[in-house]
Structure formats: structure tokens, C-alpha cells
Amino acid sequence: EIFVPDGPIGLPPLPNGGENMRENARAWFVYNIEKQYDTESFLDKGVEYYRSDESVDYIQNLWNNQGPFDAIFGFSQGAAFAHILLGKKAKGEIDLPNLRFAIFAGGFPAIGISQESSWPQISLPSLHFSGTKDTTVPPCHQEDLFSRFYRPNSHFIYHDGGHIVPQKSKYVNEILDFIRRHRNPAGGS
């Protein structure tokens, strides 16, 4: 069974509507408290992740009441938020019992002003994907996120797409193999 929560923070419509109109947009944190519709600042140095504490509490509550879960999957901003969760878990600030692995796609590390630069390297097994044609979050940012994980437990795969979760059978099979290997580390099915 797969449980996929949306970010708990609703984003307001973009000003001036037009092609950039979005309905029911959700986020794990916002980059500009005055302009919460801003989704362009995420790779800026020194950006703040406002309201991420609300999302941490939201996930902790979900974990306690509907979990535990085997894994965390993060795409784009969700990958940075997953990094926040794993950093807080590594420091003992939150409890995510039975967490066995994490998967990241098209992501970037949580390096906001209030994020801990002192988080230890994360030893949880992880799988990282980045599209060689990703212009939204270029591969160097996913590589930076990958560098924050302990190597023997982590794997990085480039796919030939853009800012997407890879869907070609070659990549889906790699994801499934990783899940099987880490969901039942003792070799069970």
C-alpha cells in the first residue's frame, strides 16, 4: 500500500492569473512569507523555509496515527522536505519508527537559513534520481543532496528526462529492486 500525503500548506493563486494560474497548489514550506505564491526562490542561497515546522508536525502526526511507514519519497520541494525530516530524525528531534529507506527525484538539499548545517551525514539507505535535461532543478542540486548521505547505503541514477519522476521501465525496475531490497533487508518477500 502506498500513502501519498500532499503538503499541508495551501498556496494562494499567482497574481495576474494567466498561464501560471494554479488551483489547489500545496507545499511543504514557502520561500517568501509576504508572497507565499513565490516558487522561484528555492535555489537561492540563504533562502528561508517558512512554515516547514508545520509540515514536520503534520508528518509526525500522520506517522503516529496512520503509520508506521517503510519509506519516504520526495520529489522536487518534497525532496528538500524529506531531507529536513531525515536531518531532524538523525538528530533525535523527531521519531519516524520503522523507516527503512528514502527515494528522491529532482530534488535539492535543505540548506535554508534555519536548517541545520550540522546535520550528520544520513546513513539511511537512499536512492536518488536526476534528469540530465532537468532545467528546473539541475542535476548539480540533486548531487548536492546525494552528497549528504552515507555512500555504501546510497545510490544515484541519472535518467534522460527533465524534472520528472522517471517512468521508463529501466528506471521503474531499479526503483522496485531498491524497494524490495530495503523493505525486507533480511531477504524476506
Side-chain angles (χ1 to χ4, degrees), residues 70-186:
D70 294 320
I72 292 176
F73 175 85
F75 172 69
S76 198
Q77 186 193 70
F81 180 66
H83 184 221
I84 291 171
L85 290 172
L86 297 177
K88 287 182 172 292
K89 180 183 182 330
K91 289 191 78 170
E93 295 174 8
I94 60 171
D95 185 28
L96 303 173
N98 296 353
L99 178 61
R100 295 182 173 141
F101 59 92
I103 300 175
F104 301 89
F108 52 96
I111 54 172
I113 293 170
S114 65
Q115 304 322 120
E116 292 288 331
S117 60
S118 63
W119 284 340
Q121 198 166 32
I122 297 168
S123 62
L124 186 75
S126 62
L127 180 62
H128 303 254
F129 283 92
S130 188
T132 58
K133 298 174 187 163
D134 189 342
T135 58
T136 303
V137 181
C140 63
H141 298 287
Q142 181 69 49
E143 292 163 359
D144 188 10
L145 176 58
F146 175 67
S147 74
R148 294 154 195 270
F149 287 78
Y150 186 61
R151 282 300 177 275
N153 295 335
S154 300
H155 306 280
F156 194 102
I157 298 169
Y158 294 96
H159 62 83
D160 57 0
H163 192 61
I164 61 166
V165 175
Q167 298 175 24
K168 290 182 179 178
S169 61
K170 166 183 172 178
Y171 304 115
V172 171
N173 288 333
E174 294 205 45
I175 293 169
L176 291 173
D177 289 344
F178 180 84
I179 291 170
R180 286 184 193 110
R181 215 170 36 252
H182 294 288
R183 183 161 187 247
N184 299 301

Side-chain angles (χ1 to χ4, degrees), residues 41-49 109 111-113 141 144 148:
S41 304
F42 64 94
L43 297 177
D44 292 351
K45 296 286 185 202
V47 70
E48 181 60 84
Y49 300 150
I111 54 172
I113 293 170
H141 298 287
D144 188 10
R148 294 154 195 270

